[in-house]
Amino acid sequence: ESEKSCNNLTGLLSELSDLANLEAGHLSLRRERIDLAPILARVEEDVHEGEDRGITLRVAGCSGAVFVFGDPVRLTTALTTLVAATLRERADGMSMVVACRHVDVPAGRTLRIAIGDRDAVETLLDDEEPAADTFDEYRGGLGFRLVLASRIIGAHGGRVSSPVVDPGRLAIVVTLPVAP
């Protein structure tokens, strides 16, 4: 138990350090054209949160040209954290979906990634604009990971929102600018 507690504390300190460096502008982010489809497929394979409760995760509609400019390692970490957070708040036996869609907005073309149950994801992908700034990055039990994930997405010119607030129906929307 002591070793587990020490590891948790070490993880919190590392997250806090990354967050402080990111906010101070000292955390460097690579800027390269990357395809998010394989990253999301890796997230689907690597995230096991909720499996013990019968929760399943499926990535759908994120194949083909899903390109953004960014840091593949940091974006993988951010997306993994957001998916795991959504799965933590699911009721037993639910099915979760991660889906993508290109959306044209006045500022240019963006990629919208929705994480939630099938009905919520379809609604969020079809919405003209997800609700603004409703993401609670300080949700309990995840240390600074949600804060860091939100800041990483923001550093890539994107944003994170959580427009579905029904109990047991947390959904998250990530919007990122598309790479030409």
Side-chain angles (χ1 to χ4, degrees):
E1 285 301 312
S2 294
E3 185 176 343
K4 182 180 174 184
S5 293
C6 285
N7 288 337
N8 288 341
L9 185 56
T10 301
L12 279 172
L13 290 172
S14 175
E15 292 165 14
L16 185 57
S17 175
D18 283 350
L19 181 60
N21 286 327
L22 184 62
E23 292 198 348
H26 300 301
L27 188 68
S28 62
L29 295 174
R30 291 174 39 193
R31 297 287 181 180
E32 60 187 70
R33 188 171 189 262
I34 56 172
D35 185 358
L36 280 184
I39 289 174
L40 290 169
R42 197 169 328 120
V43 169
E44 180 181 24
E45 288 177 14
D46 293 346
V47 175
H48 302 287
E49 184 76 42
E51 284 183 350
D52 59 331
R53 296 181 287 130
I55 298 172
T56 60
L57 173 65
R58 184 174 56 90
V59 173
C62 297
S63 59
V66 186
F67 289 96
V68 298
F69 276 113
D71 185 322
V73 172
R74 298 286 182 193
L75 283 173
T76 300
T77 300
L79 292 168
T80 299
T81 296
L82 295 170
V83 168
T86 308
L87 291 172
R88 283 185 68 165
E89 301 213 7
R90 287 287 127 184
D92 292 357
M94 291 191 78
S95 177
M96 293 285 298
V97 178
V98 177
C100 307
R101 182 168 297 156
H102 288 102
V103 179
D104 292 317
V105 296
R109 192 153 214 219
T110 62
L111 177 68
R112 187 177 298 165
I113 304 167
I115 308 162
D117 63 64
R118 183 181 312 157
D119 293 337
V121 164
E122 289 177 14
T123 299
L124 294 171
L125 288 176
D126 290 338
D127 280 352
E128 291 210 13
E129 186 63 34
D133 298 327
T134 57
F135 181 65
D136 178 9
E137 59 190 23
Y138 292 100
R139 297 179 90 85
L142 288 168
F144 294 102
R145 284 179 278 178
L146 283 179
V147 179
L148 192 55
S150 179
R151 298 298 192 286
I152 288 170
I153 298 297
H156 284 83
R159 74 181 186 115
V160 179
S161 62
S162 181
V164 177
V165 293
D166 295 336
R169 290 202 59 196
L170 172 69
I172 292 176
V173 177
V174 176
T175 306
L176 290 165
V178 172

